[in-house]
Amino acid sequence: MWQAPIFAAFCLPTSLRSFGFAFLDSVLTCSDTMRLQHLPLAALVASTAAVNLYVSSYTYGEITSLKLSKSANGSYTLTTVATNNGSSPSPTWLEKDKYKDIVYGLDEGFTSPNGSLSSYKTSSSGVLTQIDRHLTLGGPVSSIVYNGGKGLAVAHYGGSALSSWAILETGGVKLLQTFPFTLTAPGTNPARQEAPHLHEALVDPTDSFIISPDLGADLLRVFTIDPKTSVLTPSTDFSTPPGSGPRHGAFLVTPSNTTYFFLVSELGNSVTSYRVTYGDKTLGFEEVFTSGIYGNQTIPDGAAAAEAVLSPDSKYLLTSSRNATLFQIPNFNPNNSTKIPSDTLQSWVIDHKTGKLTFHQLAPAGGSFPRQFSVNKAGTLAAVGLQESARVVIVERDVKDGTFGKFVAEIDVPGEVTSVIWDE
Ligand SMILES: *[C@@H]1O[C@H](CO)[C@@H](O)[C@H](O)[C@H]1NC(C)=O
Ligand SMILES: *[C@@H]1O[C@H](CO)[C@@H](O)[C@H](O)[C@H]1NC(C)=O
Ligand SMILES: *[C@@H]1O[C@H](CO)[C@@H](O)[C@H](O)[C@H]1NC(C)=O
Ligand SMILES: *[C@@H]1O[C@H](CO)[C@@H](O)[C@H](O)[C@H]1NC(C)=O
Ligand SMILES: *[C@@H]1O[C@H](CO)[C@@H](O)[C@H](O)[C@H]1NC(C)=O
Ligand SMILES: *[C@@H]1O[C@H](CO)[C@@H](O)[C@H](O)[C@H]1NC(C)=O
Ligand SMILES: *[C@@H]1O[C@H](CO)[C@@H](O)[C@H](O)[C@H]1NC(C)=O
Ligand SMILES: *[C@@H]1O[C@H](CO)[C@@H](O)[C@H](O)[C@H]1NC(C)=O
């Protein structure tokens, strides 16, 4: 949530806005009542813009709220503004409801057979107030709001299941369904594919289907959504290559209404584009492109591909990969000359006509295990959660050429960081 002082910085006369305020321009609009042009210029220059981010981390049992401030000279600072009692031992995933001021938090529940799902009211101070909490099937790792904000689907990695929940008026949630899955025999990678492991819940762009990449079963599991009740019905699944271990994905609808699905597979360390076709209560996936996640570089031993994010302008696919420190970056503490080993982010140019990707950039992620990252609405900044470095970094993006740039802010967050999201 953007905070009050921003108005002073943002509502500059148009003539002044070109001096480094593009970041602000693209996220807020200025109403007449907010115009503060009668303020002395000094007051405007001293003011800052700020946005809250929420961070989940294992071992800490809490959700950390950060504030990213941009001062008038263009420098950023990241500070902790609240630690919230998540009442959850192993926070693993956060999702901001795009329809209301609610955050859903999942707890992987390493200390019990069950995980949990909580909802929180957000606030401009960054304090999260818990509204509801329910025990769930084990190992929830990803959620998605669907059906116009009336349903929430949860992927359970440890529990080999998908669950669906009704979102109540109060911001609370109520269990609708659970779909447990089994394997008749282990997959190609028996150490990781001994059971189904649903790794993400996604909704298709028409809000009619839930898709869940199942790392253990090498499947994209597909469900139809009943728009009246939010109830899900299993549809026809799509098989990915044996041993590929599908993990995370992102949809794109082009201006000519072609739908593509980009899939990052953890075990195969690959990124694949599919052209998606709509049938009668089914989805078709036609592969149009595949590549190793490191593009024109050899996949390092031990690498584990992780995240897939579509840039807000839909021109680039952004991905991350873990356990291969191909970069050594300057220490974030300027007094410390020891370099920091860094895993990688990747940027890919999307050809909207074909769905094919062109490898564009391999960039440092800011530390070890960029398990998850998210991009602000303007597409100018990415917040990266570095699980093994116990750190969140903010990296600049050049919106025009789609490359990641320099690190503009960083902060240590205790525990293993599992997700970081923007509240804009
Ligand atoms: C920019 O402003 C911030 C706070 O207002 C200050 O801490 C920082 O030193 C300034 N940076 C430069 C390069 O002037
Ligand atoms: C967090 O909240 C739970 C449930 O309300 C409570 O049992 C627990 O004591 C609280 N923990 C802390 C550290 O406040
Ligand atoms: C808790 O886990 C057990 C064992 O998997 C399961 O049978 C039970 O349904 C779970 N409870 C909830 C509320 O999901
Ligand atoms: C775009 O395609 C989807 C899926 O086939 C369809 O539901 C939707 O009506 C189409 N939109 C337009 C504007 O053609
Ligand atoms: C990281 O890669 C090494 C091989 O380079 C492997 O031995 C290790 O198990 C991997 N670690 C994880 C957590 O995947
Ligand atoms: C670096 O050293 C200078 C001089 O001792 C000190 O003022 C500054 O606080 C130090 N910075 C950090 C990040 O430790
Ligand atoms: C300097 O940075 C390295 C790498 O992050 C760290 O291991 C080391 O403890 C730091 N040294 C000091 C004096 O803080
Ligand atoms: C790999 O791709 C990047 C990005 O397109 C390019 O800058 C680089 O030169 C390529 N390297 C090789 C060895 O082809």
Side-chain angles (χ1 to χ4, degrees):
M1 200 170 284
W2 289 90
Q3 295 171 0
I6 191 176
F7 298 130
F10 175 71
C11 298
L12 288 170
T14 315
S15 58
L16 284 182
R17 281 199 213 156
S18 54
F19 293 90
F21 286 92
F23 165 61
L24 303 175
D25 281 1
S26 47
V27 289
L28 269 190
T29 52
C30 191
S31 78
D32 284 338
T33 52
M34 290 177 196
R35 285 190 190 282
L36 301 172
Q37 287 160 351
H38 56 281
L39 280 186
L41 186 61
L44 297 174
V45 170
S47 60
T48 58
V51 62
N52 290 336
L53 296 101
Y54 304 114
V55 185
S56 60
S57 95
Y58 288 149
T59 73
Y60 201 56
E62 286 184 336
I63 297 165
T64 305
S65 303
L66 305 177
K67 183 171 77 165
L68 178 69
S69 307
K70 187 181 190 185
S71 58
N73 65 17
S75 74
Y76 291 89
T77 47
L78 204 46
T79 49
T80 300
V81 288
T83 49
N84 307 282
N85 177 6
S87 316
S88 60
S90 323
T92 189
W93 177 265
L94 297 170
E95 179 187 7
K96 171 72 178 56
D97 190 323
K98 67 176 177 180
Y99 302 97
K100 42 170 116 102
D101 293 338
I102 302 284
V103 162
Y104 304 98
L106 300 177
D107 148 34
E108 213 166 332
F110 289 132
T111 53
S112 82
N114 295 99
S116 70
L117 161 62
S118 296
S119 58
Y120 307 89
K121 178 98 181 98
T122 61
S123 69
S124 58
S125 68
V127 171
L128 294 174
T129 307
Q130 193 168 44
I131 299 169
D132 204 358
R133 179 172 186 254
H134 294 269
L135 289 185
T136 68
L137 291 178
V141 290
S142 159
S143 70
I144 190 73
V145 171
Y146 67 92
N147 198 19
K150 299 197 282 281
L152 186 78
V154 175
H156 299 262
Y157 181 95
S160 303
L162 188 109
S163 61
S164 65
W165 302 75
I167 296 174
L168 309 174
E169 280 300 316
T170 56
V173 291
K174 181 170 174 285
L175 181 67
L176 287 177
Q177 298 163 285
T178 56
F179 298 95
F181 299 105
T182 54
L183 281 183
T184 51
T188 307
N189 180 337
R192 294 293 305 280
Q193 299 186 306
E194 83 297 352
H197 289 304
L198 288 83
H199 216 308
E200 188 173 36
L202 295 149
V203 66
D204 85 301
T206 68
D207 204 4
S208 310
F209 294 89
I210 295 293
I211 291 85
S212 182
D214 184 336
L215 183 147
D218 290 323
L219 288 175
L220 296 180
R221 297 197 184 266
V222 181
F223 304 80
T224 58
I225 299 168
D226 181 334
K228 288 207 183 71
T229 59
S230 300
V231 159
L232 304 180
T233 304
S235 172
T236 308
D237 296 334
F238 176 77
S239 292
T240 63
S244 57
R247 177 184 171 99
H248 277 200
F251 279 97
L252 162 69
V253 181
T254 69
S256 62
N257 205 27
T258 303
T259 304
Y260 295 108
F261 182 63
F262 305 107
L263 176 67
V264 163
S265 294
E266 174 173 337
L267 305 180
N269 284 292
S270 60
V271 53
T272 306
S273 312
Y274 298 97
R275 201 167 80 85
V276 178
T277 49
Y278 285 81
D280 180 25
K281 300 202 177 302
T282 59
L283 286 183
F285 295 88
E286 180 204 342
E287 183 179 316
V288 292
F289 171 86
T290 193
S291 165
I293 192 113
Y294 291 88
N296 59 9
Q297 298 206 30
T298 310
I299 296 166
D301 283 347
E307 190 56 283
V309 171
L310 186 69
S311 67
D313 62 9
S314 297
K315 291 182 180 164
Y316 302 93
L317 181 71
L318 312 173
T319 58
S320 73
S321 192
R322 299 164 294 172
N323 202 27
T325 52
L326 301 186
F327 288 95
Q328 297 286 326
I329 59 173
N331 206 292
F332 290 108
N333 178 349
N335 296 344
N336 187 334
S337 59
T338 308
K339 293 206 163 173
I340 295 175
S342 174
D343 288 340
T344 54
L345 304 176
Q346 301 84 26
S347 174
W348 306 79
V349 181
I350 302 168
D351 180 342
H352 281 206
K353 287 208 179 62
T354 63
K356 291 182 180 169
L357 304 175
T358 303
F359 179 61
H360 192 43
Q361 186 197 22
L362 189 68
S368 295
F369 278 60
R371 169 180 171 136
Q372 182 272 359
F373 66 93
S374 57
V375 173
N376 67 344
K377 279 185 186 160
T380 51
L381 299 170
V384 187
L386 295 150
Q387 185 172 358
E388 306 239 313
S389 301
R391 180 186 303 133
V392 167
V393 300
I394 307 292
V395 55
E396 261 180 348
R397 276 191 76 241
D398 183 325
V399 176
K400 283 217 180 68
D401 83 358
T403 52
F404 293 102
K406 62 179 190 293
F407 300 106
V408 295
E410 62 89 29
I411 192 167
D412 292 346
V413 176
E416 297 181 44
V417 175
T418 50
S419 73
V420 49
I421 60 167
W422 299 81
D423 185 4
E424 295 181 280

Short mmCIF file of all heavy atoms in Angstrom, two decimals, residues 192 266 300-304 322-324 369 388, ligand 5:
data_model
loop_
_atom_site.label_atom_id
_atom_site.label_comp_id
_atom_site.label_asym_id
_atom_site.label_seq_id
_atom_site.Cartn_x
_atom_site.Cartn_y
_atom_site.Cartn_z
N ARG A 192 12.79 -37.56 -6.10
CA ARG A 192 11.90 -36.39 -6.06
C ARG A 192 10.49 -36.73 -6.53
O ARG A 192 9.56 -35.94 -6.31
CB ARG A 192 12.48 -35.26 -6.92
CG ARG A 192 13.78 -34.66 -6.42
CD ARG A 192 13.65 -33.90 -5.10
NE ARG A 192 12.63 -32.86 -5.12
CZ ARG A 192 12.81 -31.64 -5.64
NH1 ARG A 192 13.99 -31.31 -6.14
NH2 ARG A 192 11.83 -30.76 -5.63
N GLU A 266 11.58 -27.86 -12.84
CA GLU A 266 12.72 -27.83 -11.90
C GLU A 266 13.72 -28.94 -12.18
O GLU A 266 14.93 -28.71 -12.20
CB GLU A 266 12.19 -27.96 -10.46
CG GLU A 266 13.30 -28.10 -9.43
CD GLU A 266 12.80 -28.07 -8.00
OE1 GLU A 266 11.71 -27.51 -7.76
OE2 GLU A 266 13.50 -28.60 -7.12
N PRO A 300 24.42 -26.04 -15.19
CA PRO A 300 25.40 -26.50 -14.19
C PRO A 300 24.85 -27.68 -13.38
O PRO A 300 23.64 -27.81 -13.20
CB PRO A 300 25.58 -25.27 -13.28
CG PRO A 300 24.91 -24.13 -13.98
CD PRO A 300 23.88 -24.72 -14.89
N ASP A 301 25.77 -28.53 -12.88
CA ASP A 301 25.37 -29.64 -12.02
C ASP A 301 24.65 -29.09 -10.79
O ASP A 301 25.09 -28.11 -10.20
CB ASP A 301 26.61 -30.41 -11.53
CG ASP A 301 27.16 -31.31 -12.62
OD1 ASP A 301 26.46 -31.51 -13.62
OD2 ASP A 301 28.30 -31.78 -12.46
N GLY A 302 23.58 -29.73 -10.40
CA GLY A 302 22.88 -29.37 -9.16
C GLY A 302 21.88 -28.25 -9.32
O GLY A 302 21.16 -27.91 -8.37
N ALA A 303 21.79 -27.64 -10.53
CA ALA A 303 20.88 -26.51 -10.72
C ALA A 303 19.43 -26.92 -10.48
O ALA A 303 19.06 -28.09 -10.71
CB ALA A 303 21.03 -25.95 -12.13
N ALA A 304 18.63 -26.00 -10.01
CA ALA A 304 17.22 -26.27 -9.72
C ALA A 304 16.39 -25.05 -10.12
O ALA A 304 16.31 -24.06 -9.39
CB ALA A 304 17.03 -26.59 -8.25
N ARG A 322 18.26 -21.95 -9.10
CA ARG A 322 18.97 -22.02 -7.81
C ARG A 322 20.14 -22.98 -7.86
O ARG A 322 20.26 -23.81 -8.73
CB ARG A 322 17.97 -22.51 -6.73
CG ARG A 322 16.79 -21.58 -6.55
CD ARG A 322 15.67 -22.28 -5.80
NE ARG A 322 15.13 -23.37 -6.61
CZ ARG A 322 14.25 -24.26 -6.19
NH1 ARG A 322 13.79 -24.19 -4.95
NH2 ARG A 322 13.82 -25.22 -6.99
N ASN A 323 20.99 -22.87 -6.84
CA ASN A 323 22.08 -23.82 -6.60
C ASN A 323 23.13 -23.84 -7.70
O ASN A 323 23.72 -24.87 -7.99
CB ASN A 323 21.51 -25.23 -6.36
CG ASN A 323 22.48 -26.14 -5.61
OD1 ASN A 323 23.31 -25.65 -4.85
ND2 ASN A 323 22.40 -27.43 -5.84
N ALA A 324 23.35 -22.69 -8.35
CA ALA A 324 24.44 -22.57 -9.33
C ALA A 324 24.91 -21.13 -9.28
O ALA A 324 24.36 -20.25 -9.95
CB ALA A 324 23.97 -22.94 -10.72
N PHE A 369 19.73 -19.13 -3.85
CA PHE A 369 18.39 -19.71 -3.89
C PHE A 369 17.27 -18.67 -4.06
O PHE A 369 16.45 -18.46 -3.16
CB PHE A 369 18.14 -20.62 -2.68
CG PHE A 369 18.70 -22.01 -2.88
CD1 PHE A 369 20.07 -22.17 -3.10
CD2 PHE A 369 17.90 -23.14 -2.88
CE1 PHE A 369 20.61 -23.44 -3.31
CE2 PHE A 369 18.43 -24.40 -3.09
CZ PHE A 369 19.79 -24.55 -3.30
N GLU A 388 18.49 -19.11 0.81
CA GLU A 388 19.67 -19.54 1.58
C GLU A 388 20.54 -18.36 2.02
O GLU A 388 21.46 -18.55 2.80
CB GLU A 388 20.49 -20.53 0.76
CG GLU A 388 19.65 -21.69 0.29
CD GLU A 388 20.12 -23.05 0.76
OE1 GLU A 388 21.32 -23.31 0.63
OE2 GLU A 388 19.30 -23.85 1.22
C1 LIG B 5 23.39 -28.35 -5.17
O1 LIG B 5 24.23 -28.92 -6.17
C2 LIG B 5 25.15 -29.88 -5.70
C3 LIG B 5 25.97 -30.34 -6.88
O2 LIG B 5 26.63 -29.26 -7.44
C4 LIG B 5 24.41 -31.05 -5.10
O3 LIG B 5 25.34 -31.97 -4.56
C5 LIG B 5 23.50 -30.55 -3.99
O4 LIG B 5 22.70 -31.60 -3.53
C6 LIG B 5 22.58 -29.45 -4.52
N1 LIG B 5 21.83 -28.89 -3.40
C7 LIG B 5 20.53 -28.77 -3.42
C8 LIG B 5 19.91 -28.24 -2.16
O5 LIG B 5 19.85 -29.06 -4.38
#
